[in-house]
Amino acid sequence: MASQEMEQLVRREYKQGFVTDIESDTMPPGLDENTIAFISHKKGEPEWMLEWRLDAYRQWLKMTSPSWAHLDYPPIDYQAISYYSAPKKPEDRPQSLDEVDPKLLETYEKLGIPLHERAALAGVAVDAVFDSVSVTTTFKEKLSEAGVIFCSISEAIRNYPELVKQYMGTVVPKGDNYFAALNSAVFTDGSFVFVPEGVTCPMELSTYFRINAANTGQFERTLIICEKQAQVSYLEGCTAPMRDENQLHAAVVELVALEDAYIKYSTVQNWYPGDEDGKGGIYNFVTKRGDCRGDRSRISWTQVETGSAITWKYPSCVLRGKDSVGEFYSVAVTNNRQQADTGTKMIHIGENTRSTIVSKGISAGRANQSYRGLVKIGPRAKNARNFTQCDSLLIGDQCGAHTFPYQEIGNSTATVEHEATTSKIGEDQLFYCQSRGISEEDAVNMIVNGFCKDVFQELPMEFAVEAEALLNVTLEGAVG
Amino acid sequence: MLEVKDLHVTVEGSEILKGLSLTVNAGEVHAIMGPNGAGKSTLSAVIAGKDGYEVTSGSITFEGRDVLEMEIEERAQAGLLLGFQYPVEIPGVKNIYLLKAALNAQRVARGEGEIPAPEFMKLVKEKINFMKMDSSFLQRAVNEGFSGGEKKRNEILQMLVLQPKLAMLDEIDSGLDIDAMKVVAQGVNSLRDPERGILIVTHYQRLLDHVEPDVVHVLVDGRIVKSGDKDLALELESRGYDWLVEESAA
């Protein structure tokens, strides 16, 4: 049966009412208020959460998809997407690595990913491979001793409703933008982190350790709160190419830092970029924002973006507290037909606020990449300072790099510096390395990694090593 | 070991080398001198395999292998190494990292396997002391912010670590003060070996005061017009190139 017919059939059945369908694990494509009620019900959410979602949905209906980004993709049919599917049962997943695409395994090998992790990443029924429970249990015990809450957002809504109510949507409001509104209506997964006053989280938190992390959803919602003098380092994503059948991803991440708090958020994003012609790749529309709410608070975003067919992403900082600090370190790599429009916004509101932006863009093949950054200094942000450095590296002559810096300076005491360079990977540099006996491919890797060093050194150690390997794999065959 | 026969090379349509022949044997130091624009740097660039140089006729062989058929890195792996007049900067790549990657690439190509880290550190330390360079150089990005003299010393340092069979030095003496020149010369002299050939390309005679060549060639208008021993270099120093230019035109 053609899949289209199947879909129609499923839809027809669905129209008979979602109540009778509530036991099913996957929802047919389509989006309306019933869909949202279904999700909310499945997640066992309280009434207020459903109302919140529906309000977001009603706002979304009145909005239009943004068109200002330097991206080219066909219109997305939101009625053709399925908004909920329960985690796959173990028996439906590959039972061992032998059943996994050898090409995927080859990539894991190149990235140096440990064997047991490869299985989890490839979607192998984890329990059949290694015992994840013990790791997770030790991990959870350590955190609860410190008083840190780390769980899925769904659990948080059920178990810590007051915290969620207090903070969710206060950094990225429901109607902030088209994709954020969509996420607010239909989010199904994500992380929740709460670090109480004075606590430094005893370990780096990673989505990898979260239970059910293998089923990262297409509409993730993450909320991280650091109370006064609290600190946390959070790692999102993974260097390995993630298996995912959903094409559209629209995540929202909200960070809240109170007085003297420090949140370091590191991302390595390597979603499927599509084939050489860009077919089948992930569309990644993400809203990430941190609120430096307290004085002397600090939020630092570090991202390495190598995947996705389309990337639309601007991790931002709202520097509300006096002397608060916002940082953005980014490496974005696009190859083949990939497109990325990425950058940051630094909104200076408080006095003596400081921000640093270091963006490194690498384009190869026929890829197109844009840096889009806003530095806004409000009238009360006396002595605010920003430093922006934005470098692009081109490999080959069919790719493009674009820079769109915006500056809105609202008072005369601000210091704003912007440096930008665009360079082609130097033939002279390549020749120099090769004439020392180093192969062209290794030479490119060496030069590109050197170019990204300022950002990589901001990553947690083991992530930095993986990120280098990832870059090399991403640019394989880009030259020559 | 190196045999260049009747080499014709064009760059962007104009012929730079017009039938150059040259033989360098193991254990010999050759100096190629000549006025600006004679094609001196073209010769070493073609041997190393730089893009943009079209060999229209003639041949280059190294230990019996056809050099023109080899990839750039294969030439280096075979033992042909060029020291640059203007080595490029590579931001973010540590000098020591490049050295190690180059040495290992060459060793692996020769089937020797990678060098153990302690052995490598010992080797580099010894060579860097010999070149009177501070060990902080190793941690700096390749050539980034190096002075002219530092860049040249660094090129020689690479030679000392990589130990090529044929070392080609392109204008390695340009822009050096007398102290730096002595250190560089000392480095080149330490490369002298019965198993190794050295090819020095230079405009001035002064380096040859410190590194005594076995053979001096004068390159004028794409051809070697005169070869001789070290006395030829001294003669060029006192008489200049004009008389040879006129002789070759006649």
Side-chain angles (χ1 to χ4, degrees):
Chain A
M1 194 192 292
S3 68
Q4 218 176 356
E5 288 172 52
M6 175 80 100
E7 267 176 33
Q8 279 171 0
L9 195 68
V10 173
R11 269 184 87 85
R12 214 171 26 243
E13 279 175 349
Y14 173 63
K15 276 186 180 160
Q16 292 164 353
F18 83 93
V19 180
T20 54
D21 212 33
I22 198 79
E23 296 311 320
S24 102
D25 274 338
T26 300
M27 264 210 328
L31 178 58
D32 57 22
E33 297 202 358
N34 280 343
T35 322
I36 293 161
F38 178 91
I39 293 169
S40 189
H41 186 93
K42 268 280 177 195
K43 294 280 173 189
E45 291 175 356
E47 186 64 23
W48 61 266
M49 196 65 238
L50 174 60
E51 286 307 319
W52 199 86
R53 287 176 180 273
L54 289 173
D55 182 38
Y57 175 67
R58 287 165 199 148
Q59 293 192 43
W60 180 73
L61 284 178
K62 293 183 209 133
M63 300 166 91
T64 50
S65 188
S67 58
W68 43 263
H70 192 76
L71 300 170
D72 183 21
Y73 57 93
I76 297 165
D77 180 0
Y78 293 92
Q79 295 304 333
I81 294 169
S82 171
Y83 290 84
Y84 181 84
S85 91
K88 273 195 185 170
K89 289 192 189 109
E91 56 267 31
D92 295 336
R93 293 158 63 180
Q95 294 302 306
S96 77
L97 280 175
D98 300 341
E99 296 171 36
V100 174
D101 182 2
K103 250 189 145 174
L104 192 65
L105 296 178
E106 201 181 298
T107 315
Y108 292 170
E109 178 80 45
K110 282 180 194 155
L111 289 168
I113 290 168
L115 265 175
H116 63 276
E117 292 187 24
R118 286 181 208 174
L121 292 166
V124 174
V126 170
D127 291 337
V129 182
F130 79 114
D131 180 14
S132 65
V133 179
S134 57
V135 181
T136 316
T137 312
T138 332
F139 190 75
K140 288 230 154 186
E141 273 171 14
K142 259 191 157 177
L143 288 179
S144 72
E145 266 172 41
V148 175
I149 301 171
F150 179 36
C151 61
S152 77
I153 196 88
S154 305
E155 281 176 72
I157 291 166
R158 290 193 299 269
N159 301 337
Y160 312 100
E162 291 313 312
L163 282 174
V164 176
K165 255 192 212 172
Q166 189 184 344
Y167 290 105
M168 190 153 81
T170 62
V171 185
V172 179
K174 276 173 283 192
D176 185 79
N177 67 69
Y178 190 75
F179 298 108
L182 178 64
N183 174 286
S184 302
V186 301
F187 71 89
T188 44
D189 212 329
S191 301
F192 176 81
V193 178
F194 177 82
V195 188
E197 184 169 342
V199 171
T200 296
C201 186
M203 63 194 71
E204 267 157 359
L205 299 182
S206 159
T207 35
Y208 181 72
F209 281 108
R210 211 185 61 221
I211 295 175
N212 290 334
N215 293 291
T216 39
Q218 79 189 116
F219 300 102
E220 280 210 56
R221 183 146 197 132
T222 292
L223 175 59
I224 300 178
I225 302 140
C226 265
E227 286 199 324
K228 287 180 190 174
Q229 291 156 349
Q231 291 194 17
V232 69
S233 169
Y234 185 87
L235 315 180
E236 177 206 11
C238 183
T239 50
M242 293 290 271
R243 226 177 54 127
D244 199 294
E245 282 123 34
N246 304 311
Q247 197 180 22
L248 175 68
H249 284 244
V252 168
V253 176
E254 297 180 278
L255 312 181
V256 179
L258 302 184
E259 274 172 48
D260 298 292
Y262 175 31
I263 302 176
K264 183 177 176 66
Y265 193 105
S266 311
T267 309
V268 172
Q269 183 270 118
N270 188 21
W271 296 108
Y272 183 54
D275 62 13
E276 277 172 34
D277 297 319
K279 268 193 198 135
I282 301 283
Y283 292 2
N284 196 25
F285 298 92
V286 186
T287 306
K288 287 184 165 173
R289 197 172 301 152
D291 191 353
C292 284
R293 215 164 272 184
D295 294 350
R296 297 168 305 279
S297 57
R298 177 177 168 202
I299 287 178
S300 179
W301 298 101
T302 306
Q303 60 170 19
V304 177
E305 301 279 316
T306 66
S308 298
I310 306 270
T311 301
W312 181 97
K313 183 176 176 184
Y314 317 91
S316 305
C317 296
V318 180
L319 303 170
R320 216 181 289 279
K322 283 182 197 167
D323 299 294
S324 60
V325 175
E327 292 163 320
F328 174 76
Y329 301 97
S330 168
V331 166
V333 188
T334 46
N335 197 357
N336 296 321
R337 289 279 190 180
Q338 281 178 279
Q339 304 175 58
D341 194 302
T342 184
T344 184
K345 285 187 273 186
M346 292 291 173
I347 315 291
H348 292 254
I349 295 171
E351 287 175 20
N352 297 317
T353 45
R354 282 166 291 150
S355 62
T356 303
I357 299 170
V358 177
S359 162
K360 306 274 182 177
I362 300 155
S363 281
R366 284 175 293 177
N368 241 312
Q369 194 176 123
S370 305
Y371 167 80
R372 190 181 302 277
L374 168 69
V375 176
K376 185 172 182 174
I377 301 202
R380 289 189 292 116
K382 280 186 191 142
N383 301 315
R385 298 174 74 95
N386 163 266
F387 172 75
T388 300
Q389 187 189 335
C390 168
D391 300 323
S392 307
L393 188 67
L394 305 176
I395 301 175
D397 51 15
Q398 285 182 293
C399 53
H402 314 271
T403 304
F404 303 97
Y406 305 87
Q407 293 180 342
E408 295 171 23
I409 316 295
N411 79 64
S412 57
T413 57
T415 313
V416 176
E417 289 173 71
H418 183 98
E419 287 177 13
T421 65
T422 300
S423 49
K424 258 193 83 166
I425 193 158
E427 280 177 17
D428 287 345
Q429 288 175 334
L430 274 180
F431 176 61
Y432 188 76
C433 295
Q434 284 180 274
S435 74
R436 265 70 194 129
I438 298 167
S439 73
E440 187 173 36
E441 196 158 315
D442 288 345
V444 170
N445 290 341
M446 192 187 279
I447 295 165
V448 167
N449 278 305
F451 175 77
C452 299
K453 207 179 133 223
D454 298 348
V455 173
F456 284 170
Q457 66 193 16
E458 295 296 329
L459 285 170
M461 189 59 184
E462 70 278 16
F463 241 37
V465 175
E466 286 183 32
E468 272 191 37
L470 174 61
L471 226 63
N472 299 350
V473 173
T474 308
L475 289 172
E476 220 163 62
V479 176
Chain B
M1 59 183 3
L2 178 74
E3 193 111 23
V4 181
K5 277 191 190 151
D6 194 28
L7 189 67
H8 289 257
V9 175
T10 54
V11 179
E12 288 171 359
S14 60
E15 190 167 52
I16 305 294
L17 295 184
K18 303 169 180 173
L20 185 145
S21 296
L22 173 72
T23 303
V24 179
N25 297 311
E28 293 177 352
V29 177
H30 287 239
I32 296 195
M33 304 184 68
N36 288 332
K40 298 192 298 289
S41 292
T42 299
L43 176 62
S44 53
V46 169
I47 296 173
K50 195 168 165 55
D51 247 12
Y53 296 82
E54 196 194 341
V55 176
T56 50
S57 67
S59 67
I60 304 174
T61 52
F62 180 66
E63 295 190 313
R65 293 176 71 184
D66 183 350
V67 172
L68 296 174
E69 286 298 309
M70 293 157 79
E71 298 291 335
I72 303 166
E73 58 268 29
E74 287 176 339
R75 300 180 195 200
Q77 289 158 4
L80 276 167
L81 198 64
L82 172 63
F84 284 66
Q85 180 178 8
Y86 302 112
V88 291
E89 301 185 356
I90 310 179
V93 177
K94 280 183 188 174
N95 217 12
I96 189 157
Y97 184 75
L98 177 77
L99 265 180
K100 194 170 177 192
L103 181 61
N104 279 333
Q106 296 196 11
R107 286 174 60 115
V108 168
R110 291 195 298 260
E112 291 169 21
E114 296 193 352
I115 186 170
E119 203 179 306
F120 174 72
M121 285 317 296
K122 200 175 147 227
L123 173 73
V124 169
K125 220 167 190 176
E126 178 196 318
K127 302 302 183 190
I128 201 166
N129 287 338
F130 186 79
M131 289 308 291
K132 298 191 166 63
M133 292 162 78
D134 192 274
S135 59
S136 65
F137 267 90
L138 297 171
Q139 302 303 323
R140 287 169 61 183
V142 177
N143 291 314
E144 199 178 38
F146 286 22
S147 72
E150 287 169 343
K151 284 182 183 173
K152 299 293 168 65
R153 281 190 211 199
N154 202 38
E155 291 296 289
I156 302 294
L157 174 69
Q158 291 182 6
M159 295 265 170
L160 296 180
V161 170
L162 298 174
Q163 297 282 324
K165 288 182 187 165
L166 180 77
M168 298 184 285
L169 302 166
D170 186 16
E171 306 266 1
I172 201 75
D173 51 340
S174 68
L176 292 185
D177 62 33
I178 188 69
D179 292 331
M181 166 89 83
K182 278 184 184 159
V183 176
V184 166
Q186 190 192 357
V188 177
N189 281 327
S190 78
L191 283 167
R192 275 179 185 267
D193 189 291
E195 302 289 310
R196 178 178 294 125
I198 299 178
L199 186 61
I200 297 171
V201 172
T202 181
H203 185 75
Y204 298 106
Q205 193 269 339
R206 55 181 202 148
L207 178 68
L208 306 180
D209 287 341
H210 305 280
V211 181
E212 195 173 298
D214 299 303
V215 190
V216 174
H217 308 275
V218 184
L219 184 61
V220 174
D221 194 25
R223 280 186 210 92
I224 289 178
V225 295
K226 201 172 180 67
S227 299
D229 60 14
K230 62 183 165 70
D231 294 337
L232 178 58
L234 294 172
E235 192 178 356
L236 290 169
E237 180 74 354
S238 56
R239 293 179 66 186
Y241 290 109
D242 288 351
W243 59 284
L244 279 170
V245 174
E246 279 159 30
E247 231 171 63
S248 75

